[in-house]
């Protein structure tokens, strides 16, 4: 559920940025943002999260897992930056 939350949130964020880039007349669109739309299941994920008591061990584990997932993204970005890699094309 934690990974679903992070990846669906990322897709939603990318969609917002893609819309803003389009509105700003960016052409060509950077490859990362040019990808087709994907159904994220965001509402279902939020409903599943809402069903978990906030102070429960499950909620605490989800928070820890989400933080770990964000650290993985951060580590990948740091590595790409150090290698001079452009992750978005």
């Amino acid at each position: 559920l934690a990974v679903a939350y992070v990846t669906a949130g990322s897709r939603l964020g990318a969609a917002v940025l893609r819309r803003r880039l389009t509105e700003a007349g960016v052409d060509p669109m950077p490859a990362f943002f040019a990808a087709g739309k994907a159904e994220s299941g965001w509402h279902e994920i939020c409903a599943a999260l809402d069903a978990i008591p906030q102070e429960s061990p499950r909620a605490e584990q989800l928070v820890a897992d989400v933080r770990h997932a964000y650290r993985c993204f951060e580590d990948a970005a740091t590595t790409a930056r150090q290698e001079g890699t452009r992750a978005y094309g």
Side-chain angles (χ1 to χ4, degrees), residues 16-27:
V16 168
L17 292 173
R18 181 174 43 252
R19 186 180 70 240
R20 289 183 180 170
L21 290 169
T22 299
E23 291 168 356
V26 173
D27 188 29

Side-chain angles (χ1 to χ4, degrees), residues 6-61:
V6 171
T7 56
S10 176
R11 287 184 190 125
L12 284 175
V16 168
L17 292 173
R18 181 174 43 252
R19 186 180 70 240
R20 289 183 180 170
L21 290 169
T22 299
E23 291 168 356
V26 173
D27 188 29
M29 182 71 64
F32 177 83
F33 298 107
K37 296 179 182 177
E39 175 57 41
S40 68
W42 181 252
H43 296 291
E44 293 82 2
I45 293 165
C46 290
L49 290 170
D50 285 342
I52 299 169
Q54 289 183 359
E55 303 300 324
S56 70
R58 175 79 171 126
E60 290 177 15
Q61 185 62 54

